[in-house]
Amino acid sequence: MGHRDFKRSDRVAAHLRRTLATAIHQNLPDEDTSFITISDVEVTRDLSVATVYINTLDPSQEKLAIQTLSLNAKQLRKVMAQELNTRKVPELRFKYDASLEYGRKLEHLIQKARATDPNLTEEDS
């Protein structure tokens, strides 16, 4: 057997990410999900649990997004069952991905440090 670049769980995670992104916006018509995006999906090796990392346009909507998705997890899982060609459909767990806010904070700190550095020239920035 040759070396595989991707594990099966990675392929399932990628497929779940694409399918869930569509399903969240198309299969939850009673919910406002326009502010939710999926940043990543991680699936356990046995395909029993999928952790779905989400972002929102406004960080203050984090709790609303997690609550909305958690309440509709069974419905989303049914959609996944129709889309995936696997025996098991992973349990969906939703977590907020704070990496965007973290990146913004770092960028702000870098800009602040550059602005206060007297030795920094125009060419350095």
Side-chain angles (χ1 to χ4, degrees):
M1 292 199 101
H3 175 68
R4 292 184 182 177
D5 289 338
F6 295 102
K7 296 179 283 194
R8 183 166 190 243
S9 59
D10 293 337
R11 291 191 306 270
V12 170
H15 187 66
L16 268 174
R17 182 178 176 201
R18 288 187 303 270
T19 307
L20 268 174
T22 303
I24 286 171
H25 299 293
Q26 289 181 352
N27 295 89
L28 302 178
D30 297 337
E31 306 289 345
D32 177 18
T33 58
S34 61
F35 63 96
I36 300 172
T37 59
I38 296 178
S39 60
D40 195 19
V41 176
E42 292 179 356
V43 180
T44 57
R45 283 185 67 191
D46 65 354
L47 306 178
S48 62
V49 177
T51 303
V52 181
Y53 294 92
I54 64 155
N55 280 315
T56 58
L57 297 175
D58 181 2
S60 67
Q61 295 176 316
E62 166 192 348
K63 289 180 183 176
L64 175 62
I66 296 293
Q67 182 181 28
T68 299
L69 294 173
S70 296
L71 289 173
N72 291 285
K74 284 185 180 182
Q75 184 177 351
L76 291 170
R77 203 165 172 216
K78 286 179 185 176
V79 174
M80 297 303 102
Q82 295 169 354
E83 296 290 327
L84 292 174
N85 295 325
T86 60
R87 273 187 288 151
K88 282 189 210 183
V89 177
E91 172 190 337
L92 301 175
R93 295 183 183 166
F94 299 96
K95 289 191 175 181
Y96 188 72
D97 181 5
S99 61
L100 289 176
E101 287 80 37
Y102 182 72
R104 285 185 197 125
K105 286 178 186 176
L106 284 178
E107 182 64 29
H108 176 72
L109 289 173
I110 290 168
Q111 288 176 353
K112 187 176 175 181
R114 284 185 171 180
T116 59
D117 188 352
N119 296 325
L120 192 64
T121 64
E122 283 291 318
E123 296 169 358
D124 293 334
S125 52

